[in-house]
Amino acid sequence: MTARAADRARYDRATAHLDAPLAIVDLDAFDANAEDLARRAGGKPIRVASKSVRCRALLERVLAKDGFRGVMSFTLAESLWLARSGFDDVLLAYPSADRTGYAELTGDPKLASAVTVMVDDVAHLDLIDASRAGGREVVRVCLELDTSLKLLGGRVRVGARRSPLHSPAQVAELARAVARRPGFRLVGIMAYEGHIAGVGDAVAGRPLRSRAIRLMQATARRELAERRAAVVRAVRAVAPDLEFVNGGGTGSVQHTAAEDCVTEIGAGSGLYVPRLFDNYTSFKGRPAALFALPVVRRPGVGVVTVLGGGYPASGVAGPDRLPVPYLPQGLQYDSQEGPGEVQTPLLGSPADDLLVGDKVWFRHAKAGELCERFAALHLIEGDTVTATVPTYRGEGHTFL
């Protein structure tokens, strides 16, 4: 029996008493992935990206492990909710225009001490001040550096369009604006190199493209390491007591951790290892988060139909954003239909061994977005469900 077949047998036994659709997290794989992230970080703490987990119980589990410290959140409302739930170090990784949330933050000393907000423009400071509604608490601020690689005098750009702060001078100028502004304290710098950390460099069947990606990433790493160090020096000249410099992502942990100026790594997808993280030469994780759909029809030889399945991930639309049939191995979508809103036909010889009511296991393309489809995660150890825990959705929250 292959390892994948053995996993299928375990998951089927563990969930035999449960009706699909359902979602699971294999805790053995989750913990192994956490250990691998910590090993690659080389002693620097990992701040867990909550958008890639979206389950409080699993955030608490990983933060209890050596090598992990703090949460990187994705909305202000989520940040405040986590802080009220006992998470005492929450970095909001994106700027917010949530005026109600800022009024709550600036009016509550516990929230203000636990949450750090992201800014990359004086306009963000203005919005926060205009939202205070009498709140006088000092707001902890982090500045985001644009990590994109600019070539040919800026005519070619590689990387996400995030912060407008690209040069050391630009970041230092905003740092000075924060330092001069009553009610704010600059505590950190963040730089997420998505074109390095979030792009696989071993695309199946595309050797030339893979080689080009590796060349681009090597160039981008060198350029960013030099620029990030210069940015940190410039900002520390303004704010000597800077608490952290955050960088990286699941796909670049060991490279970013090697930079002396970086004090912590941001990562989260590497805990679940969705399908987009199969194509990396720098690490291999174990798929930990899966969902199962039930067989509801057998239209003919070599075909079964499962209930649901149209769960695309964010990003540029394409086949790589779709969930992939995983267990049993050998099933594929009908090219004329793909995964459907209510039903999904699957083709392949393994279909002939499936009966109505059997489960087909899938892997989502991106990590935490899976949890927007399910209210609970069934946690599996060996061949037993040892706990069932709510996702954010299961606790009544869909922050985005």
Side-chain angles (χ1 to χ4, degrees):
M1 181 182 292
T2 66
R4 280 175 63 166
D7 283 342
R8 180 194 175 198
R10 287 196 301 114
Y11 301 151
D12 282 346
R13 286 196 299 271
T15 63
H17 62 297
L18 299 172
D19 289 330
L22 59 82
I24 66 165
V25 170
D26 183 334
L27 290 181
D28 293 335
F30 181 90
D31 291 344
N33 292 334
E35 291 172 7
D36 184 63
L37 284 170
R39 176 190 60 79
R40 290 197 286 136
K44 292 187 177 179
I46 295 173
R47 185 179 292 274
V48 183
S50 63
K51 76 178 182 66
S52 301
V53 180
R54 303 195 202 199
C55 171
R56 279 200 301 164
L58 290 175
L59 287 174
E60 291 167 352
R61 183 183 183 92
V62 70
L63 286 171
K65 297 179 180 296
D66 292 340
F68 293 84
R69 184 179 69 205
V71 175
M72 179 182 288
S73 58
F74 59 97
T75 73
L76 182 54
E78 180 213 10
S79 305
L80 301 177
W81 176 65
L82 289 173
R84 291 192 182 99
S85 301
F87 294 84
D88 60 3
D89 182 4
V90 182
L91 169 62
L92 174 57
Y94 307 86
S96 176
D98 181 353
R99 292 176 173 84
T100 300
Y102 283 132
E104 294 176 19
L105 177 70
T106 59
D108 187 320
K110 177 184 175 182
L111 298 179
S113 67
V115 176
T116 301
V117 303
M118 191 66 60
V119 305
D120 59 36
D121 194 310
V122 171
H124 295 139
L125 306 178
D126 293 340
L127 188 146
I128 295 169
D129 271 340
S131 305
R132 285 181 179 271
R136 297 179 179 274
E137 296 299 323
V138 173
V139 176
R140 293 168 53 84
V141 167
C142 178
L143 306 182
E144 181 170 5
L145 170 67
D146 170 38
T147 65
S148 64
L149 175 65
K150 295 184 178 181
L151 303 171
L152 301 178
R155 293 190 295 275
V156 175
R157 173 195 179 102
V158 181
R161 296 183 182 275
R162 291 175 65 111
S163 170
L165 306 175
H166 188 81
S167 70
Q170 289 174 315
V171 184
E173 181 181 359
L174 185 54
R176 286 189 290 270
V178 174
R180 290 193 300 264
R181 190 102 167 208
F184 296 89
R185 182 159 67 93
L186 178 56
V187 299
I189 300 171
M190 189 190 87
Y192 171 59
E193 52 267 40
H195 51 303
I196 303 171
V199 178
D201 62 351
V203 184
R206 304 287 297 276
L208 294 179
R209 177 174 174 80
S210 299
R211 193 175 306 152
I213 290 172
R214 287 194 289 272
L215 178 62
M216 176 275 292
Q217 290 179 338
T219 302
R221 281 197 300 268
R222 288 193 298 270
E223 185 276 336
L224 179 58
E226 293 179 5
R227 181 159 52 92
R228 180 156 38 201
V231 165
V232 173
R233 287 194 298 270
V235 172
R236 286 198 183 277
V238 178
D241 297 328
L242 204 66
E243 295 176 12
F244 64 85
V245 176
N246 180 283
T250 289
S252 68
V253 171
Q254 65 272 36
H255 301 297
T256 308
E259 295 181 34
D260 291 338
C261 70
V262 173
T263 66
E264 64 175 39
I265 309 299
S269 295
L271 296 168
Y272 287 170
V273 186
R275 62 169 295 203
L276 282 180
F277 285 86
D278 286 347
N279 301 321
Y280 285 77
T281 57
S282 60
F283 79 101
K284 297 294 180 187
R286 292 173 54 184
L290 300 93
F291 66 94
L293 301 178
V295 174
V296 292
R297 284 177 169 163
R298 291 170 49 88
V301 175
V303 186
V304 292
T305 302
V306 295
L307 183 69
Y311 307 156
S314 61
V316 179
D320 66 335
R321 300 290 145 168
L322 299 179
V324 61
Y326 184 59
L327 302 170
Q329 190 170 0
L331 294 172
Q332 60 186 9
Y333 294 124
D334 183 332
S335 62
Q336 300 301 311
E337 295 193 48
E341 177 187 9
V342 176
Q343 68 171 32
T344 297
L346 297 171
L347 312 180
S349 58
D352 294 330
D353 296 323
L354 292 169
L355 305 176
V356 169
D358 285 350
K359 296 180 175 77
V360 176
W361 296 90
F362 293 75
R363 293 174 64 200
H364 202 263
K366 296 183 74 174
E369 293 182 24
L370 167 65
C371 294
E372 297 300 332
R373 298 287 181 170
F374 294 91
L377 297 173
H378 302 285
L379 308 184
I380 291 180
E381 295 182 73
D383 60 0
T384 303
V385 172
T386 56
T388 298
V389 296
T391 61
Y392 280 11
R393 174 179 171 174
E395 295 200 67
H397 296 288
T398 51
F399 293 109
L400 278 179

